[in-house]
Amino acid sequence: MANRETKGGNDMAFDITKKKAFVCDLDGTLFMGAKPIKPAVDFVIESTKSGRFSFFYLTNNTSKCPEEYMVKISGAAIPVTPEQILTPLITLEAYIREKRYKSVYLISSEKVKAHMQDRLADAGVSLDYDPETNELIALAYDKELTYEKLARATTLWNARPIDFVATHPDNCCPSELGPIPDVGGMLKLLETTNGMRPSHVFGKPSPTLLAPVLARFAPEEIAVVGDRLYTDKAIADNAGIDFVCVLSGETTRDDLARYEGTPPSIVVETFNQIDK
Ligand SMILES: [Mg+2]
């Protein structure tokens, strides 16, 4: 079986010589849980060290700070800086700045709240619950979620018109014990309570997450690399850039055969094989 396939069997469809930056999904693409997918990781290490490509690392998971992802990535010996980590927390920060909000009720873990407080220190933004001043409710993947936090969100929404955003849409988070609740389920709980719905949901597949990369590279110089069609391919499609589908994670050849959308730009067993 061929390891490398391109659109319509045409090897010219995906031109690696035009690429300058890859936006990499982590789980299923570079890691399997905590374990690095060695050939893919080796390719990233070599290409980073030689300066051949720039790499960015994409995650929707806002239960962790970017620093925690840096630990995971650098733990696999990949050289990495904070600017290379793309999480919806960056989009949330940009959104708060753009709207010039000064009082935000952020529903997140204490660690993520401290990270965001630090990021927004120069803008004088409070992230505490304050029914008098809150202008925005921001829902992150809060593994310290309590009934009180949910009730506060609905109380703010009930009292007066207020903006509401969520960091990402994922219904569940994969775990060793099967799917566990993520932001999507929290959104449904809130909507069921009083009809509250977010004005924006950041994270994959919203192309807003790619803004820092699109600011530096032309669309044809970038490709998203990932193992999920409905998130990784969707964000590439929404941003109008190439998608490298790896078979090292969730998507199988059977899934691709059944897939009704446009095919990925290229399909490889593991990321390193784009270079073969
Ligand atoms: Mg993945």
Side-chain angles (χ1 to χ4, degrees), residues 8-227:
N10 174 2
D11 264 3
M12 295 308 289
F14 179 82
D15 186 354
I16 194 169
T17 64
K18 289 208 174 80
K19 298 302 168 208
K20 291 186 178 166
F22 288 102
V23 179
C24 303
D25 166 59
L26 294 177
D27 206 35
T29 302
L30 297 181
F31 294 88
M32 215 32 173
K35 208 170 154 243
I37 299 172
K38 199 164 182 317
V41 165
D42 286 348
F43 173 72
V44 173
I45 294 170
E46 280 162 31
S47 308
T48 300
K49 286 185 177 166
S50 68
R52 185 177 173 203
F53 302 116
S54 295
F55 293 93
F56 296 86
Y57 305 99
L58 194 59
T59 176
N60 264 9
N61 189 337
T62 54
S63 73
K64 290 189 178 135
C65 296
E67 291 74 17
E68 292 172 78
Y69 284 101
M70 287 185 61
V71 169
K72 178 169 184 163
I73 294 164
S74 60
I78 300 172
V80 64
T81 61
E83 296 70 39
Q84 289 172 273
I85 313 286
L86 303 179
T87 125
L89 294 176
I90 298 169
T91 323
L92 175 61
E93 180 192 335
Y95 184 80
I96 291 169
R97 287 182 188 277
E98 185 196 311
K99 295 282 185 182
R100 299 176 188 273
Y101 288 139
K102 296 292 174 202
S103 176
V104 176
Y105 179 41
L106 175 65
I107 302 175
S108 74
S109 68
E110 283 303 312
K111 207 168 176 180
V112 166
K113 186 179 168 190
H115 164 80
M116 291 299 288
Q117 200 73 77
D118 201 38
R119 295 285 313 180
L120 288 160
D122 65 304
V125 179
S126 160
L127 298 176
D128 294 323
Y129 173 68
D130 184 339
E132 300 299 316
T133 63
N134 285 154
E135 301 159 284
L136 171 71
I137 305 161
L139 176 65
Y141 182 8
D142 184 0
K143 290 191 174 176
E144 296 157 13
L145 187 69
T146 61
Y147 185 85
E148 185 186 30
K149 291 182 183 181
L150 292 166
R152 283 174 166 182
T154 54
T155 301
L156 287 169
W157 184 271
N158 295 338
R160 57 190 160 82
I162 186 167
D163 196 2
F164 170 38
V165 297
T167 54
H168 57 288
D170 301 39
N171 286 332
C172 67
C173 181
S175 82
E176 311 84 71
L177 303 172
I180 55 172
D182 202 325
V183 167
M186 299 172 195
L187 285 173
K188 285 194 180 66
L189 186 150
L190 291 170
E191 188 178 358
T192 304
T193 304
N194 65 356
M196 63 189 289
R197 293 181 68 173
S199 65
H200 296 81
V201 180
F202 309 128
K204 294 183 264 186
S206 165
T208 52
L209 196 53
L210 298 177
V213 189
L214 286 161
R216 283 182 53 193
F217 298 94
E220 61 273 18
E221 295 173 335
I222 311 166
V224 171
V225 189
D227 69 315

